[in-house]
Amino acid sequence: MTDSDESPTDTDVDVLVAMALPTFDAPGVVVRPTAAESAAIAVGMDLQQLGSQATWHEIRGSVAGVERGRVAELIGLAGAGGEQLGLAATASRDLGRWLAVETDINEGWGFATRAATEQMVGYLHSASHHFGNLALRTLLLRPSMLGPFAQKAKRFAAERPDAPPLWKPYSTNAASYISLNRESARDLRKQARALGSGVFLDVAAAVSTVTADDRWERMTGRRHLEYHRWRTQTAPGADGAEDPWVVDESSASMSLTVFAPGRMPFSPEATITDATEARAGLELLSTAMRRWFDIWHDRSDELMGV
């Protein structure tokens, strides 16, 4: 399953210290999509089709007095998020093929399955940020002087009086976009309450079903750690992300520990847990995005104040 280098130890036991995949393709046949994957594919397709109707919905928004460009931007984000969700579903299916392997459950399998999990989480993470900004733009259909996002816009205007408004449609300012996490979900709920309409509370509640789940929190926490800081090597013979020097304050001395190769034993259980939580994240996000789609489909007039 992998190309690898092995390092002999003092006991002449070969230990993997480096690995590279010849392909990301899993062995075996293509497995049927799970119910969650099928649901994610369906809502991803619906959102992409909605995205193709952005200008038509923009006309509806203009007639309703919504800020120019607001609805088109919102629908465009929906389509883009739908595409990312569909890619996450595809990656989940590939991950499922690795999880279905019944033989050679070894370091090479763990290396490949970890990589497949991370590929899926990358698409899922992107889809979630699109969804968070989609939800925010949905709340911005009704301008308000209250709520955390209104207050943020005020502070931005005071600090940068010559800049376009923070939430101007199609802004290229990075500050105009949020990351989906528990803090932003809480702010969306506060903003929805400031608007005082049940339909906006339903939108914010859909977002919170994702971020409130501990599996999602653990998955994104691992992604942030490994993407932005340090992704420890998978090979059991590699050095870990820890300082080998130990300081003894009492004697003002230092010692260096030379770690033996193979000190990080392969754990298929941890690999499977991470993969399972990623696939659970797909179900959480696709369910929430389906809720938004249904709200837009059935209650878009209410959202736009018609």
Side-chain angles (χ1 to χ4, degrees), residues 266-279:
F266 169 62
S267 173
E269 292 79 12
T271 303
I272 291 171
T273 295
D274 291 351
T276 301
E277 289 193 342
R279 298 180 96 191

Side-chain angles (χ1 to χ4, degrees), residues 122-146:
Y123 287 123
L124 199 57
H125 199 248
S126 176
S128 73
H129 289 331
H130 280 80
F131 180 49
N133 285 286
L134 169 62
L136 172 57
R137 268 68 180 173
T138 304
L139 302 187
L140 292 174
L141 289 169
R142 300 272 195 93
S144 173
M145 299 300 291
L146 303 174

Side-chain angles (χ1 to χ4, degrees), residues 6-91:
E6 297 178 339
S7 175
T9 68
D10 293 338
T11 57
D12 294 327
V13 176
D14 290 337
V15 178
L16 288 172
V17 298
M19 295 185 283
L21 289 173
T23 176
F24 281 109
D25 292 338
V29 298
V30 176
V31 296
R32 293 183 61 82
T34 65
E37 289 164 351
S38 295
I41 291 168
V43 69
M45 293 291 286
D46 285 344
L47 288 167
Q48 289 179 72
Q49 292 178 38
L50 178 64
S52 70
Q53 303 165 8
T55 52
W56 183 81
H57 286 282
E58 174 67 16
I59 293 171
R60 294 180 58 220
S62 296
V63 172
V66 176
E67 180 182 8
R68 188 175 62 196
R70 174 65 66 206
V71 177
E73 178 194 43
L74 181 156
I75 299 299
L77 278 170
E83 180 176 319
Q84 293 295 300
L85 184 68
L87 289 169
T90 302

Side-chain angles (χ1 to χ4, degrees), residues 186-207:
R186 181 177 64 248
D187 286 344
L188 287 169
R189 293 194 301 272
K190 291 179 179 179
Q191 191 67 38
R193 287 194 292 270
L195 292 171
S197 176
V199 67
F200 294 107
L201 290 170
D202 290 343
V203 170
V207 175

